[in-house]
Amino acid sequence: MTRIPEKDRDILEQAMYLPMLLTILERDRILFDKGSFKLKQPYLELIDETIKAVQYDLKKTKDAMRKGQMKVEEISRDEAFTMFLFIYKGYEEKHNYFNPRIRNRVQELMEFYLKKRFK
């Protein structure tokens, strides 16, 4: 059983997912930049704006973690699972995440930042 309240666990998970999303967006930006699109500038601007929004939310997440005495570290990774260490006010908990679930959550976040945040 976890000692971490759900609200704080959500913050820790954001600290896991947002850097992954940034990595994907930065790689995609390079692909769009090198791609043979007739009008690539709108795509690059959309990705740049999305990167800025994710970076802003990541900064807010890190500030909340610092204020709440929280840290998250990746411990191990294999084909199926990734293990993270959550440090919460001096307590340490290990959490295993199924890699396809991580991918799906990052995809959900990407869809939010690219489309739904404008609504």
Side-chain angles (χ1 to χ4, degrees), residues 32-43:
F32 273 103
D33 196 30
K34 291 180 179 179
S36 60
F37 299 94
K38 283 194 182 249
L39 299 171
K40 66 172 85 174
Q41 196 58 36
Y43 297 109

Side-chain angles (χ1 to χ4, degrees), residues 8-116:
D8 291 336
R9 192 175 61 245
D10 290 344
I11 292 170
L12 288 165
E13 288 181 348
Q14 285 291 94
M16 289 171 19
Y17 295 131
L18 291 179
M20 293 177 196
L21 178 57
L22 274 177
T23 301
I24 292 168
L25 288 169
E26 289 165 356
R27 287 180 186 170
D28 289 352
R29 190 192 189 290
I30 292 169
L31 292 174
F32 273 103
D33 196 30
K34 291 180 179 179
S36 60
F37 299 94
K38 283 194 182 249
L39 299 171
K40 66 172 85 174
Q41 196 58 36
Y43 297 109
L44 294 176
E45 288 175 8
L46 177 63
I47 292 175
D48 288 341
E49 291 295 321
T50 304
I51 287 173
K52 286 178 188 175
V54 173
Q55 287 173 334
Y56 176 76
D57 287 349
L58 182 58
K59 183 185 181 328
K60 288 192 320 188
T61 300
K62 287 185 176 185
D63 290 344
M65 288 176 60
R66 198 172 306 112
K67 186 176 178 182
Q69 300 172 338
M70 298 180 269
K71 288 184 182 181
V72 62
E73 297 174 11
E74 183 178 320
I75 298 175
S76 65
R77 178 185 299 257
D78 62 25
E79 304 84 39
F81 291 95
T82 302
M83 183 176 286
F84 291 91
L85 175 67
F86 290 175
I87 301 170
Y88 179 76
K89 297 182 180 179
Y91 294 102
E92 294 184 0
E93 292 182 4
K94 293 179 181 176
H95 293 260
N96 239 353
Y97 287 84
F98 190 47
N99 289 340
R101 176 64 186 125
I102 293 172
R103 185 190 66 239
N104 291 341
R105 180 62 182 135
V106 172
Q107 182 175 332
E108 289 170 7
L109 285 170
M110 180 179 279
E111 290 171 2
F112 169 78
Y113 280 102
L114 288 173
K115 297 186 296 191
K116 297 175 185 164

